[in-house]
Amino acid sequence: MGTPRGVGRWLRRAALGIAVALTLLPFLWIAETSLKDFKTIAQGMVFFRPTLDNYQGLFGQGSDFPRFFANSVLVTLLATLGATISGALAAYSLVKFRFPWGVDRYLLGWLLFVRMVHPIALAIPFFLIVKGLHLYDTRLGLALAYTALNLPFGVWMMRSFFDDLPESLDEAARIDGCSHFGAFRHVVVPLVAPGLAATAIFTFVLSWNEYLFGLILTETPRAMTFPVGMARLAHEVFVKWGEMSAAATVFVIPVFVFALLVQRHMIRGLTLGAVKS
Amino acid sequence: MPVKAPAHVARYPLDHPQASKLSVWADRHFQYIMLLPGALLLCALTVYPLLLLLWMSFSTYQITAGGLQSAFAGLHNLETLAHDPGFLDSLKKTLAFVLGSVTLSFVLGLILAMLVHGGSTHPAIRTVLMLPMMVAPIAVGMIWRLIYNPEFGPLNRLLGVWGIAPVAWLAQPQLAMPSIILVDVWQWTAFNYLLLLAGLQTLPHEPFEAARVDGASEWQTFRYVTLPLLLPTIVLVLLFRTMDSFKAFDKLIVLTAGGPGTATEVLSLYIYKVSFRYWQLGYGALLALVAVLIIVVIARGYERGIHAVA
């Protein structure tokens, strides 16, 4: 289709402009609110003297937020490592080899099912399991849960990247005397490294954004994650809008950075590798 | 592309007499060894919990001084389900939420995709348009709570400029549902837009050429060429969106937590309330199973749809 001319062209630009504004304004508003003191927020002024008080309150002495932040980073990293590595290994095996009794197809089907399942259907039994293992309100318990949640994603996503590799690559390495593992480690992994990075970043964002399991499996700042702590601000009787906005801003910025990094693989990630762009 | 293994890798090929027994064994069972970590994690962390969920749905749980006490309850939970007006009510709320959110975000997403596809668009614009869906739903909920705030939220201030009295967006029973639907639409229009745009870009050129030669209007081209060709993508997008809206929880709990009253209490929120507010874990487990069944039915429905159009 060619570029439309005249009125149509300007209409199109205006519509896109409105869409961009509607997308960005809520983000800008929360970032702006995070720089306001309480009085300015209540007056709803657009022009004001910016202050970092909310950020100081959030990350200063006596606040639990530094702890929430550290918990989130640790749990997310563990889950990312667990799900990406075990996912990549399994995906390679599933792409490259045949399995008896259609094990591979059942496995992929099960992974898809887990991905579709309502998360609360996993959260309820997980609550009992974690209690039973004395992992309730620990970061390890949460990291295990997030690994489980992200494993289907890791396998399906990596599977689509392994699928893209030319058939004969590791064969050639085998002929050169490589073991299967040698071929995987020295030939396949370097080639699929960008895909591995994209999968890890997606997994990171998914775990970072997760709320329900954090809510159910933790109860004190010992293991509570950033989004759970942040949402508690909104449920207090006297809502501190400034600090809430500051928390949301800090929480969202890393996601934006990561989103820019995986832009190219966005569609593949969103559809579990079903659609490649 | 010729590939050569690095020299240090193949120091002892597997058929070499000095190759160790272990490495030969590992090489033979390579595919299972690779699968093992994932398969073990999967069994421990998904198969077992879902079996436990099944078992829980036939049990009752009580919190006592000694911790959580469970007892086998047979079909007790099923009986509760059959006489639970709260469940039916939450299903209705879910239906309203899902229908509203999926329809609106689809239409808007399609319009956006057509707009972006219809001419040259700066890459930065494409990127900006997909930002909302990367952000945690919980953060989206908090952002919009601020925007909807009746006293100093920007929305009411904007309306105030035209002399419209402040509106309690999230606290009025009739308004709360449309308000939360709007937030879901704001976040997920991006998803529809991105996938539909990708779909548009992979369509073949010839049918459009033919339509142009035949003198079809833009609307006719859209209605009789674009839409039918795009149908497989459309079904896929609707499938993902329906399942995700059905599972929505985070943003709803921070926006209304099901209120006012139970005006926005969708199934997710109801299951959470039953399980972790009233601590009826057994009944909650049964409700969660029902939610899983509903998702399977949705997926099956769309799967048929995909086969029908493909």
Side-chain angles (χ1 to χ4, degrees):
Chain A
M1 269 182 246
T3 308
R5 285 160 214 280
V7 186
R9 193 168 134 196
W10 285 104
L11 268 178
R12 175 176 171 273
R13 283 195 179 171
L16 279 176
I18 290 171
V20 168
L22 286 178
T23 304
L24 284 182
L25 280 176
F27 292 125
L28 293 177
W29 189 262
I30 201 122
E32 195 206 29
T33 305
S34 76
L35 298 172
K36 288 175 174 176
D37 59 31
F38 189 78
K39 234 177 89 188
T40 341
I41 294 176
Q43 289 165 345
M45 291 199 285
V46 177
F47 299 102
F48 61 99
R49 183 195 294 270
T51 159
L52 287 176
D53 285 357
N54 295 319
Y55 289 91
Q56 275 161 4
L58 201 63
F59 286 99
Q61 290 250 306
S63 166
D64 287 325
F65 272 86
R67 176 77 185 181
F68 294 154
F69 196 86
N71 288 343
S72 260
V73 170
L74 184 79
V75 168
T76 301
L77 275 180
L78 282 176
T80 303
L81 277 179
T84 312
I85 294 176
S86 57
L89 296 181
Y92 183 68
S93 175
L94 290 172
V95 168
K96 269 283 148 199
F97 299 93
R98 297 193 153 276
F99 283 83
W101 313 303
V103 170
D104 41 348
R105 273 185 300 116
Y106 284 116
L107 204 73
L108 285 168
W110 177 256
L111 285 164
L112 214 52
F113 177 69
V114 170
R115 185 83 192 139
M116 283 182 355
V117 149
H118 202 299
I120 206 157
L122 282 168
I124 291 173
F126 244 94
F127 173 76
L128 279 195
I129 295 170
V130 159
K131 278 260 183 197
L133 294 172
H134 301 291
L135 287 175
Y136 180 68
D137 202 26
T138 66
R139 294 177 289 192
L140 180 62
L142 212 49
L144 280 174
Y146 287 180
T147 306
L149 286 179
N150 285 310
L151 196 58
F153 179 81
V155 174
W156 272 89
M157 184 90 165
M158 281 315 296
R159 186 173 168 267
S160 82
F161 282 113
F162 286 130
D163 256 344
D164 288 352
L165 292 181
E167 189 71 30
S168 55
L169 269 177
D170 33 357
E171 301 298 322
R174 291 278 290 164
I175 291 164
D176 278 357
C178 258
S179 63
H180 278 301
F181 185 76
F184 177 70
R185 165 79 184 76
H186 295 280
V187 179
V188 175
V189 168
L191 283 173
V192 88
L196 211 51
T199 307
I201 290 173
F202 266 108
T203 314
F204 191 94
V205 171
L206 286 173
S207 308
W208 181 258
N209 286 353
E210 208 284 333
Y211 174 72
L212 177 65
F213 279 69
L215 178 68
I216 287 172
L217 301 182
T218 67
E219 68 173 349
T220 66
R222 199 157 75 102
M224 197 175 277
T225 55
F226 200 90
V228 181
M230 181 169 83
R232 281 212 311 189
L233 285 181
H235 284 298
E236 279 169 23
V237 183
F238 183 71
V239 180
K240 290 179 189 156
W241 294 100
E243 289 194 9
M244 196 183 102
S245 306
T249 309
V250 169
F251 184 67
V252 163
I253 285 173
V255 174
F256 278 176
V257 175
F258 283 141
L260 294 182
L261 289 176
V262 288
Q263 236 193 102
R264 228 156 41 83
H265 302 291
M266 192 67 81
I267 289 168
R268 196 196 288 245
L270 290 171
T271 58
L272 286 181
V275 181
K276 294 170 187 171
S277 54
Chain B
M1 164 164 71
V3 175
K4 231 173 145 45
H8 64 278
V9 178
R11 201 174 301 147
Y12 293 116
L14 292 167
D15 49 0
H16 192 281
Q18 268 179 304
S20 73
K21 275 214 174 96
L22 182 68
S23 62
V24 173
W25 180 86
D27 197 62
R28 185 166 305 146
H29 297 92
F30 176 74
Q31 66 185 99
Y32 299 101
I33 296 171
M34 293 282 275
L35 202 57
L36 197 64
L40 284 180
L41 281 172
L42 214 57
C43 283
L45 300 175
T46 65
V47 178
Y48 172 61
L50 285 172
L51 288 176
L52 185 61
L53 183 80
L54 196 63
W55 168 253
M56 286 175 82
S57 63
F58 292 103
S59 315
T60 54
Y61 288 81
Q62 271 184 326
I63 299 183
T64 62
L68 220 49
Q69 298 287 320
S70 70
F72 184 72
L75 299 177
H76 174 76
N77 290 329
L78 261 177
E79 261 173 59
T80 314
L81 182 73
H83 303 107
D84 182 5
F87 167 68
L88 272 184
D89 190 49
S90 73
L91 272 188
K92 282 184 207 152
K93 303 286 155 58
T94 313
L95 191 68
F97 179 76
V98 171
L99 268 182
S101 168
V102 171
T103 316
L104 251 178
S105 67
F106 173 75
V107 171
L108 288 176
L110 185 61
I111 292 175
L112 261 186
M114 292 296 291
L115 281 175
V116 171
H117 188 59
S120 63
T121 312
H122 196 277
I125 292 181
R126 294 167 180 243
T127 308
V128 164
L129 288 177
M130 70 186 192
L131 284 180
M133 74 181 169
M134 288 300 280
V135 174
I138 191 86
V140 171
M142 296 178 71
I143 292 173
W144 280 85
R145 236 185 99 151
L146 187 65
I147 292 173
Y148 280 145
N149 185 291
E151 288 120 49
F152 49 80
L155 189 56
N156 274 351
R157 284 200 178 264
L158 193 67
L159 294 178
V161 172
W162 292 298
I164 299 171
V167 181
W169 299 101
L170 298 170
Q172 279 183 19
Q174 296 89 350
L175 264 183
M177 182 58 86
S179 299
I180 60 169
I181 288 177
L182 210 64
V183 179
D184 208 48
V185 168
W186 179 80
Q187 175 160 39
W188 295 115
T189 294
F191 177 88
N192 295 278
Y193 143 76
L194 194 64
L195 270 114
L196 291 169
L197 179 63
L200 282 173
Q201 284 166 343
T202 52
L203 294 186
H205 287 290
E206 295 80 19
F208 293 96
E209 296 284 322
R212 205 167 49 87
V213 172
D214 289 350
S217 71
E218 281 201 32
W219 168 252
Q220 284 171 325
T221 311
F222 174 75
R223 172 67 188 81
Y224 297 104
V225 183
T226 314
L227 270 189
L229 285 175
L230 203 57
L231 210 49
T233 313
I234 290 176
V235 177
L236 189 76
V237 169
L238 290 177
L239 164 69
F240 275 99
R241 282 290 299 119
T242 309
M243 291 202 297
D244 283 342
S245 283
F246 179 73
K247 294 191 275 191
F249 174 85
D250 306 5
K251 68 166 74 80
L252 306 186
I253 206 165
V254 91
L255 280 170
T256 63
T262 58
T264 56
E265 194 171 79
V266 296
L267 187 57
S268 306
L269 292 172
Y270 185 61
I271 299 175
Y272 175 76
K273 188 170 89 174
V274 165
S275 307
F276 298 103
R277 287 279 170 273
Y278 303 159
W279 292 103
Q280 296 176 331
L281 284 175
Y283 184 47
L286 181 67
L287 288 173
L289 269 185
V290 173
V292 172
L293 274 179
I294 293 175
I295 288 183
V296 170
V297 170
I298 294 173
R300 287 271 159 201
Y302 277 109
E303 201 185 356
R304 285 196 172 182
I306 286 177
H307 283 303
V309 298

